[in-house]
């Protein structure tokens, strides 16, 4: 009889206590750009989450130091490609503050108008793309329909569709084309007349509400701890908006129109509702700016600048309420034609950090719903 060998195989005990590490990205359809999420899972529940960034880093802050004050506008408007006008605006406001420069009144109101139109364009993208990430394809077509309406007037006034390059230190590039304000008013009215589709198609959809209500609750404490701002913070009940609380441009005169939208729930649904209601209010602000522009007499929209523009030695900080949240610009000058240092505080960078606290304890199935409700642009994170 030949000898036999017995082999014992044990399964189960060790495997049950082993966590799985799952990489989402850096190329994943649920992300707005190139972001990687490193998730540690216990079954279908997320234990730890780490956003891994830097895949799109362009070194813009270092490049600012090698460009003069006219050229840095081109670098600044590209990090959040959905908010290019607002990005330009923050930089020129910082430079103008350093120079002690007053901007013509027409330019102030025009900047406010274009900033609000840019806000609507930004929000419409997320109002359409967020339902798409949850399986609803129809809203994205309506969102792009409305975006095209406003893109047309933005392109007519600036010459660009995404990177407008219309701001200048001291004002704007040039005055409006003949009849532009009437066409802009018609575009705003057309978009407003169709905005109820998002209420009907998205907020009125029980599947969307089921996927978002009570999911991804962000506490006010976490908002303050991570420096979260914009519609995400206001969705958690943090009532702060620079346009009202530290007015710049013409917002100080628009207090009767400006409405700061908040919700107390702090979940995905609350963030979407804030974004939608804020879009309605941005259209109202745009109308108010058009009314004010109609009352102003003709005049310049920029200041005459020297051939070589140099900021005096010193430092200053300017911040703006961008569509995605607070953007800050810390400018240090040594009296040269280029910035010694220009530090950019972008909204998306702070907002995305909250995922480390928001995702643990949630299901993998809810991860896309939470990620989409953070309303970020990856270029705004990586700069």
């Amino acid at each position: 009889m030949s000898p036999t060998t017995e082999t014992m195989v044990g399964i189960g005990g060790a495997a049950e206590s082993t966590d799985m590490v799952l990489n989402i990205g850096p190329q994943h359809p649920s992300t707005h750009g190139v972001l990687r999420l490193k998730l540690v899972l216990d079954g279908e529940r997320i234990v730890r989450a780490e956003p891994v960034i830097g895949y799109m880093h362009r070194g813009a802050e270092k490049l600012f130091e090698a460009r003069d004050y006219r050229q840095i506008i081109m670098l600044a408007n590209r990090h959040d490609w959905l908010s290019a006008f607002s990005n330009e605006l923050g930089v020129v406001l910082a430079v103008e503050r350093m120079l002690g420069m007053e901007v013509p009144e027409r330019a102030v109101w025009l900047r406010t108008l274009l900033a609000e139109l840019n806000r609507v364009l930004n929000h419409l993208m997320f109002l359409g793309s967020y339902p798409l990430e949850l399986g609803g394809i129809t809203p994205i077509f309506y969102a792009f329909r409305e975006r095209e309406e406003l893109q047309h007037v933005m392109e007519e006034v600036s010459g660009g569709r995404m990177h407008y390059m219309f701001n200048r230190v001291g004002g704007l590039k040039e005055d409006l084309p003949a009849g532009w304000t009437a066409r802009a008013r018609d575009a705003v009215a057309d978009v407003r007349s169709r905005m109820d589709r998002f209420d009907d198609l998205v907020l009125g959809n029980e599947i969307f509400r089921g996927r978002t209500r009570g999911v991804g609750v962000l506490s006010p404490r976490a908002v303050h701890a991570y420096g979260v701002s914009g519609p995400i913070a206001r969705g958690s009940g943090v009532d702060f908006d620079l346009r009202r609380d530290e007015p710049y441009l013409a917002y100080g005169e628009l207090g009767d129109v400006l409405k700061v939208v908040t919700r107390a729930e702090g979940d995905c649904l609350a963030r979407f509702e804030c974004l939608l209601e804020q879009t309605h209010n941005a259209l109202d602000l745009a109308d108010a700016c058009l009314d004010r522009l109609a009352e102003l007499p003709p005049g310049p929209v920029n200041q005459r600048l020297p051939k070589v523009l140099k900021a005096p030695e010193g430092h200053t900080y300017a911040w703006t309420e961008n569509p995605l949240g607070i953007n800050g610009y810390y400018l240090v000058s040594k009296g040269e034609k280029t910035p010694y240092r220009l530090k950019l505080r972008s909204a998306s960078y702070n907002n995305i950090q909250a995922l480390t606290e928001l995702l643990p304890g949630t299901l993998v199935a809810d991860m896309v719903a939470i990620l989409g409700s953070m309303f970020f642009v990856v270029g705004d994170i990586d700069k």
Side-chain angles (χ1 to χ4, degrees), residues 74-350:
M74 179 274 295
L75 292 170
N77 78 5
R78 281 163 166 73
H79 54 89
D80 175 2
W81 46 78
L82 298 177
S83 311
F85 185 88
S86 301
N87 299 340
E88 301 170 12
L89 182 62
V91 170
V92 297
L93 288 175
V95 178
E96 288 163 3
R97 180 174 295 179
M98 183 74 87
L99 292 167
M101 180 180 291
E102 291 289 334
V103 176
E105 187 178 14
R106 273 176 55 78
V108 171
W109 282 97
L110 273 173
R111 281 177 170 180
T112 310
L113 166 62
L114 295 173
E116 290 306 312
L117 292 178
N118 194 193
R119 192 180 308 276
V120 177
L121 285 169
N122 175 288
H123 290 355
L124 281 170
M125 177 62 78
F126 290 104
L127 292 173
S129 66
Y130 185 37
L132 180 65
E133 290 163 3
L134 298 179
I137 193 172
T138 308
I140 192 70
F141 296 112
Y142 288 113
F144 270 90
R145 165 70 177 80
E146 311 312 329
R147 275 176 56 85
E148 282 300 312
E149 187 95 16
L150 296 176
Q151 284 280 28
H152 182 71
V153 294
M154 292 291 283
E155 184 177 8
E156 182 185 0
V157 74
S158 68
R161 282 182 58 82
M162 288 187 69
H163 303 300
Y164 305 109
M165 286 300 296
F166 198 55
N167 277 289
R168 294 292 186 272
V169 177
L172 296 169
K173 176 185 173 185
E174 57 195 7
D175 208 342
L176 303 174
W180 182 86
T181 53
R183 291 188 288 276
R185 193 183 293 277
D186 290 343
V188 169
D190 287 346
V191 172
R192 181 187 286 107
S193 69
R194 293 187 291 265
M195 283 298 294
D196 60 345
R197 288 172 175 170
F198 294 97
D199 292 289
D200 299 336
L201 281 172
V202 185
L203 288 181
N205 187 296
E206 62 183 59
I207 298 175
F208 178 84
R209 299 183 75 89
R211 290 291 306 276
T212 56
R213 186 193 286 115
V215 175
V217 176
L218 184 66
S219 67
R221 180 197 60 80
V223 167
H224 293 299
Y226 287 95
V228 175
S229 59
I232 303 171
R234 292 190 281 274
S236 296
V238 178
D239 188 6
F240 181 72
D241 191 311
L242 281 175
R243 297 173 297 170
R244 180 198 63 193
D245 300 324
E246 285 197 23
Y248 59 98
L249 294 182
Y251 290 114
E253 300 182 44
L254 293 169
D256 57 336
V257 182
L258 176 61
K259 180 182 178 183
V260 179
V261 184
T262 60
R263 292 289 187 276
E265 295 80 5
D267 56 11
C268 295
L269 181 60
R271 292 190 279 273
F272 185 86
E273 287 176 343
C274 282
L275 196 76
L276 179 56
E277 199 168 334
Q278 191 169 285
T279 308
H280 285 284
N281 187 239
L283 292 168
D284 295 337
L285 288 167
D287 266 341
C289 291
L290 286 165
D291 291 340
R292 179 64 174 142
L293 282 168
E295 299 170 359
L296 292 177
V301 294
N302 49 41
Q303 294 277 23
R304 194 173 187 87
L305 299 178
K307 187 174 182 180
V308 178
L309 181 63
K310 294 183 179 181
E313 189 169 348
H315 62 93
T316 191
Y317 184 78
W319 56 347
T320 57
E321 187 70 43
N322 270 36
L324 297 181
I326 293 173
N327 270 29
Y329 305 85
Y330 178 58
L331 173 62
V332 181
S333 171
K334 294 291 185 179
E336 302 296 331
K337 65 178 182 179
T338 61
Y340 177 77
R341 182 80 170 93
L342 180 52
K343 175 70 176 73
L344 173 62
R345 187 265 193 215
S346 62
S348 297
Y349 183 81
N350 284 72

Side-chain angles (χ1 to χ4, degrees), residues 24-45:
I24 305 294
Q27 297 287 353
H28 191 271
S30 73
T31 63
H32 300 281
V34 190
L35 175 74
R36 174 182 161 210
L37 283 179
K38 184 179 178 182
L39 306 178
V40 177
L41 306 180
D42 181 9
E44 294 186 19
R45 200 164 292 278

